[in-house]
Amino acid sequence: MTSQMRRIALARRPSGVPVPEDFAMETGPIPTPGAGEVLIEVSHHSLDPYMRGRMDDAGSYAASLELGETMIGQGIGRVLASEAEGFAQGDVVTGMTGWASHAVLPGDQLRVLDPSVPATTALGVLGMPGFTAWTALREYGRPKAGETLVIAAATGPVGAMVGQLAKAAGLRTVAIAGGDQKCQLALEKFGFDAAIDHRAHSEANSLRAALAEVCPDGVDIYWENVGGKILEAVTPLMNVHGRIPVCGTIAWYGGSDEAANRLPQVWRAILTKRLSVNGFIIFDHWDGFPAFLEEVAPKIAAGEIAYLEDITEGLENAPQTFIGMLTGGNTGKTIIKV
């Protein structure tokens, strides 16, 4: 076992899309677990869009990272030493390890993983992204057979799960993705009924026209992952009493977007169409996670739900991979193999 741990810390606060200089690789001694704690050798950690918001010094639903603090994130790894009841050396666990090779966490913040499915699924389809899709589609999307659902970032870990769950519930599912490859992935791997390449449309009006062709009965549920021109394109197509679960607005993370200046038009459509727009934070629903695992884990093990993981090797490559993910460079759930 190596005698040093490596971690990636927040070196400075980004302006717009992060750049490599906003991160710092640091080394130090491997920490020692105290009473009730577990030492983990991290094998993989997750990269997720919400991490960009934590890099800012601004009020939000969770505390900002301090300068010099390890970048936040869920990881999986092997227990090296345990001072907590219920954990033994060699157990494979998951918890908020951050971007690091090792982590010490309290036992009550860890979960031993089910060996019947690949461990990395705990970061994606059986982790926060999958749980987000399962929870918010049911609670805020309120899908009904025969309706039409549109989702942007459709081949990401949340979008792909939302599409498959909606399809299984009898909805028509329409993917919006970036590029021909991702559109084909949405159709062939995740079973969407139609897919639109947003990169082929520089303006919302053009994208709206393309969506109208594949949504002849309008849109009942728009799952919001992106914001920007996609929100502007979809909103006028919404049916009366449509629903918009707001999961993220990645087009506006850390920068400006000229579509933001046209938000009053979107807001008026919310009024005239009597839409239900629900922002949600998945951590508010965490008590439902066991039920999610009970329902979805057997379907993953049986191959009934498809998923895709985009794994990059090397902790040192996490910053550049994260930057690429924020600009659409990933295909599937973005994971770093430490």
Side-chain angles (χ1 to χ4, degrees), residues 28-156:
I30 293 174
T32 301
E37 294 182 330
V38 177
L39 170 63
I40 306 152
E41 182 179 40
V42 181
S43 63
H44 300 77
H45 72 78
S46 178
L47 296 179
D48 299 284
Y50 79 85
M51 297 169 181
R52 172 62 187 85
R54 300 289 185 89
M55 298 172 76
D56 289 331
D57 186 16
S60 186
Y61 63 89
S64 299
L65 286 168
E66 298 293 334
L67 293 178
E69 189 175 353
T70 303
M71 286 292 298
I72 192 171
Q74 183 186 356
I76 57 175
R78 182 173 59 91
V79 172
L80 295 182
S82 174
E83 298 294 334
E85 187 175 344
F87 298 90
Q89 186 174 359
D91 283 347
V92 178
V93 298
T94 186
M96 297 299 286
T97 62
W99 300 15
S101 63
H102 297 78
V104 165
L105 290 172
D108 61 5
Q109 295 180 16
L110 294 170
R111 176 169 60 90
V112 177
L113 296 181
D114 179 354
S116 68
V117 292
T120 50
T121 59
L123 303 178
V125 68
L126 287 178
M128 183 181 65
F131 180 52
T132 296
W134 182 84
T135 300
L137 180 62
R138 291 152 57 116
E139 184 157 342
Y140 303 119
R142 303 186 295 279
K144 304 177 186 68
E147 292 187 325
T148 297
L149 174 141
V150 171
I151 184 165
T155 60

Side-chain angles (χ1 to χ4, degrees), residues 137 143-144 146-152 154 159-176 183 186-187 190-196 211 214-216 218-221:
L137 180 62
K144 304 177 186 68
E147 292 187 325
T148 297
L149 174 141
V150 171
I151 184 165
M161 176 67 97
V162 168
Q164 290 177 88
L165 294 175
K167 184 70 175 176
L171 280 74
R172 175 172 174 79
T173 56
V174 177
I176 301 176
C183 286
L187 296 170
F190 300 124
F192 281 86
D193 294 299
I196 301 291
L211 280 167
V214 296
C215 300
V219 178
D220 299 290
I221 305 170

